Amino acid sequence: MDKLSEAKKVFDIEIEALKKTRDSLDETFIRILDEVSKCEGKVIITGIGKPGHIAQKIAATFSSLGTPSFYLHPAEAMHGDLGMVSNNDIVIVISYSGESDEVLQIVPIIKLIGAKLIAITANKDSSLAK
């Protein structure tokens, strides 16, 4: 296949994905924006694998825009780093499947701490979404 045609095909696929994401936005998105904008603590983003890389980028973007934020590696969280989470924080958990063990293990502790929990997943029926 022609390299230029292949490159254009990749852009077409990404454009369609962005359109689907745009079209899926609803009032939940507005509620999340409101929660983040009124957060009195930190916005903590977590995920493992590719979602972890995305979480790191989101945390860096929030920080550069003036919102106190950091990435929390879920495996490290289970070994002491959950001590950085407080009850006035928001924790955004990203998992494509919503079934990643490392992520699911920290959710009950985050709830116990009292931080607000926001899940981002492609699987609305997943353990994380529930």
Side-chain angles (χ1 to χ4, degrees), residues 21-37:
T21 301
R22 177 201 61 206
D23 293 344
S24 72
L25 295 179
D26 59 15
E27 286 303 310
T28 302
F29 181 75
I30 302 302
R31 287 195 334 257
I32 292 169
L33 288 178
D34 290 344
E35 288 294 332
V36 168
S37 67

Side-chain angles (χ1 to χ4, degrees), residues 39-44 67-70 84-86 88-91:
C39 179
E40 295 179 2
K42 304 168 296 294
V43 178
I44 302 161
T67 300
S69 179
F70 65 88
M84 295 185 281
V85 179
S86 64
N88 62 343
D89 294 336
I90 293 175
V91 180

Side-chain angles (χ1 to χ4, degrees), residues 47-89:
I48 193 110
K50 288 292 181 199
H53 297 299
I54 294 165
Q56 290 176 45
K57 176 60 179 155
I58 293 170
T61 301
F62 273 137
S63 291
S64 69
L65 295 172
T67 300
S69 179
F70 65 88
Y71 168 72
L72 176 64
H73 191 287
E76 296 296 329
M78 290 302 293
H79 296 279
D81 283 358
L82 275 171
M84 295 185 281
V85 179
S86 64
N87 64 350
N88 62 343
D89 294 336

